[in-house]
Amino acid sequence: MSLQERDEKVIWHPYTQMKNALPNIPIVSGKGVYLYDESGKKYIDAVSSWWVNIHGHSHPHIAARVSAQLLTLEHVIFAGFTHEPAVLLAERLLPLIPGKQEKVFYSDNGSTAVEVALKMCLQYWVNTNTLPRTKILAFKDAYHGDTFGAMSVSGRSIFTKPFNSLLFDVEFIDLPNEHNIDQLRSRIDYLSNEVACFIFEPMVLGAGGMLMYQAKHLDQLIAACNKHGILTIADEVMTGFGRTGTYFSCEALESHPDIFCLSKGLTGGTMPLGVTTCNAKIYEAFFSDDKLKTLYHGHSFTANPISIAASLASLDILLEPQTLQNIQRICKRHTAFANQISGNDKLKDVRQTGTILVMEWNTGLDTSYLSEFRNKLYLYFLERGIILRPLGNIIYILPPYVITDEDLDYIYQTILQALNDL
Ligand SMILES: *Cc1c(COP(=O)(O)O)cnc(C)c1O
């Protein structure tokens, strides 16, 4: 029996209707920007394996650090105990995050990092003995993860439909622009002290369709929140670690969010790990002789040393000058290509933030996530050895930073060809 057939017998894949799923391709190995299947066919991982991989696959430095950590300490309960990797990562990470972030709370993934952030904010209002605030402000097309809390603060969509009646109440606002910013600020003024916190993906909304908005408008929304004591959560799970051209997307802001959520690129894309950081204001609301003010939250694998070893190794690579040069090179190449194709009548929109280049196809047909055209696009690139996973009629390049100019050119050329053929 082939691996594909064995897979079909026992596996249920994520975000996949198993009945009519395209066969899942068995991947045998990965090196740099390439993934290799059983037949030896090579694929360019142009979406960084669901946005997690930043330094390429099977990176030797990360592998060496992880294997050394495995032979030293694989895991230890993180309540009552600590370890060097956990402390070191917090010491190295906190100064890199814009604003004055003081504490790191570890968890397992992006969704749990968001859950922790939400609980910090909601309990903040309980702990500070003011009138508890229970409303949360979020963007209409946001995506913050798939657990119930994270799903609640995400936009209502086909993904959340079966659960909508169970999701907690959220005030959804449109993405800000020149025209609606004053109206959005008035909305925040109007809600004022009902709102516990505002959670947002800074400047790029990922799963919601790679939608982009301006830093200056986010600054204005944060200022409106600050006026009413509304806490702010930057979900940098996707945008963090160089993705938008700087180490963190929020570097483009003048204001500083109270809380940051990190995951995906945190371990270089090698292991699950989530981090929620907060400033002194949040932390102090929990720091008390009163046991009821404790943040009673934790996961079995909180601060797993192996995942953290991967993160430390990934940070080493991220901070090398060569990596920043690669990021800037990708940004420039993307901009040049965007200029080349913008105005193409097959495209409704071309947009870019940092290393993310987005092309929205003008299909005139059904443009939803479920559309047939989506599969056509997906297969077109897959057949040509490029992994691009369209969000409906939207394709985007979000590559590991080690991608060469040659491979970028090949992707751009194939997109031009697709614009001709499809
Ligand atoms: C992917 C993502 C999450 C969820 O992370 P998981 O590790 O998949 O649970 C949360 N927020 C944003 C912005 C994301 O892109």
Side-chain angles (χ1 to χ4, degrees):
M1 225 194 303
S2 75
L3 193 63
Q4 243 165 21
E5 288 163 331
R6 284 165 54 206
D7 173 288
E8 275 167 34
K9 277 196 166 1
V10 293
I11 305 285
W12 191 344
H13 285 268
Y15 278 94
T16 304
Q17 172 48 262
M18 299 300 290
K19 177 147 186 204
N20 53 21
L22 303 167
N24 290 289
I25 300 163
I27 293 297
V28 180
S29 64
K31 193 79 211 151
V33 78
Y34 305 118
L35 292 165
Y36 298 89
D37 73 10
E38 284 181 326
S39 68
K41 181 171 174 182
K42 183 170 93 171
Y43 300 86
I44 300 175
D45 188 356
V47 294
S48 298
S49 282
W50 248 348
W51 323 342
V52 300
N53 190 295
I54 56 177
H55 306 306
H57 291 279
S58 310
H59 196 288
H61 180 61
I62 300 178
R65 287 304 175 88
V66 165
S67 54
Q69 186 61 46
L70 264 167
L71 294 168
T72 312
L73 174 69
E74 87 301 344
H75 190 61
V76 58
I77 174 174
F78 205 60
F81 296 87
T82 189
H83 50 81
E84 167 87 21
V87 176
L88 188 56
L89 182 59
E91 286 171 347
R92 291 182 65 186
L93 206 49
L94 289 171
L96 284 180
I97 301 173
K100 211 167 173 315
Q101 292 290 294
E102 300 244 326
K103 299 285 174 183
V104 163
F105 194 103
Y106 286 110
S107 64
D108 309 340
N109 58 67
S111 301
T112 56
V114 167
E115 297 286 345
V116 170
L118 295 173
K119 283 169 90 168
M120 282 178 176
C121 289
L122 292 169
Q123 195 179 337
Y124 170 93
W125 291 106
V126 176
N127 284 6
T128 50
N129 292 320
T130 40
L131 276 181
R133 302 187 183 191
T134 53
K135 257 194 193 138
I136 294 170
L137 197 66
F139 286 128
K140 209 156 60 187
D141 293 303
Y143 177 78
H144 296 290
D146 282 349
T147 52
F148 264 84
M151 195 167 44
S152 291
V153 294
S154 300
R156 301 294 175 260
S157 69
I158 54 163
F159 304 151
T160 64
K161 195 156 182 269
F163 317 107
N164 280 356
S165 66
L166 297 169
L167 302 181
F168 54 70
D169 235 12
V170 172
E171 287 292 331
F172 286 110
I173 56 173
D174 288 329
L175 279 194
N177 55 46
E178 295 296 344
H179 309 293
N180 67 3
I181 184 70
D182 289 333
Q183 189 192 329
L184 294 177
R185 285 156 74 185
S186 322
R187 177 88 182 281
I188 294 172
D189 284 339
Y190 173 74
L191 294 166
S192 68
N193 57 8
E194 287 175 53
V195 180
C197 61
F198 170 39
I199 183 166
F200 53 85
E201 296 161 89
M203 276 64 90
V204 188
L205 273 61
M210 294 290 167
L211 307 172
M212 298 172 183
Y213 64 101
Q214 290 182 32
K216 68 171 183 196
H217 292 139
L218 182 55
D219 264 322
Q220 287 172 296
L221 294 179
I222 292 174
C225 286
N226 288 342
K227 201 163 83 180
H228 302 291
I230 299 169
L231 304 170
T232 50
I233 304 171
D235 178 353
E236 290 232 27
V237 168
M238 192 271 282
T239 53
F241 303 101
R243 190 45 79 193
T244 62
T246 50
Y247 289 136
F248 294 97
S249 192
C250 286
E251 286 171 43
L253 296 178
E254 275 162 27
S255 47
H256 301 308
D258 296 298
I259 292 177
F260 282 77
C261 302
L262 306 172
S263 188
K264 293 204 165 114
L266 173 60
T267 61
T270 59
M271 303 234 177
L273 185 67
V275 150
T276 309
T277 67
C278 71
N279 60 16
K281 177 179 169 179
I282 305 283
Y283 186 69
E284 277 158 17
F286 290 77
F287 195 76
S288 164
D289 291 321
D290 183 352
K291 286 214 163 55
L292 289 177
K293 293 193 176 176
T294 308
L295 182 63
Y296 286 114
H297 187 104
H299 298 278
S300 312
F301 286 103
T302 297
N304 175 254
I306 307 167
S307 296
I308 292 179
S311 298
L312 287 166
S314 177
L315 262 191
D316 293 341
I317 305 164
L318 184 72
L319 298 179
E320 281 168 10
Q322 178 63 49
T323 303
L324 207 53
Q325 282 165 27
N326 278 337
I327 290 170
Q328 285 159 357
R329 174 177 56 84
I330 296 167
C331 295
K332 274 204 200 113
R333 301 295 315 276
H334 275 357
T335 305
F337 183 63
N339 288 336
Q340 188 185 339
I341 56 170
S342 72
N344 186 304
D345 55 13
K346 290 246 177 98
L347 295 177
K348 193 153 57 176
D349 191 33
V350 179
R351 51 185 181 268
Q352 180 201 0
T353 301
T355 70
I356 309 169
L357 178 65
V358 182
M359 288 138 284
E360 195 165 337
W361 233 268
N362 207 348
T363 56
L365 306 162
D366 177 12
T367 58
S368 79
Y369 189 81
L370 306 176
S371 77
E372 279 307 307
F373 186 68
R374 184 246 169 231
N375 282 355
K376 211 163 146 183
L377 276 172
Y378 178 66
L379 289 173
Y380 186 91
F381 291 102
L382 202 62
E383 276 159 17
R384 289 157 182 81
I386 301 170
I387 303 174
L388 286 178
R389 221 187 121 81
L391 295 158
N393 61 325
I394 297 165
I395 59 169
Y396 56 89
I397 314 173
L398 192 156
Y401 310 145
V402 291
I403 193 167
T404 60
D405 280 347
E406 291 68 37
D407 284 333
L408 277 175
D409 280 334
Y410 177 66
I411 298 170
Y412 298 150
Q413 286 312 315
T414 311
I415 290 171
L416 287 175
Q417 204 181 315
L419 284 168
N420 239 344
D421 296 350
L422 294 177

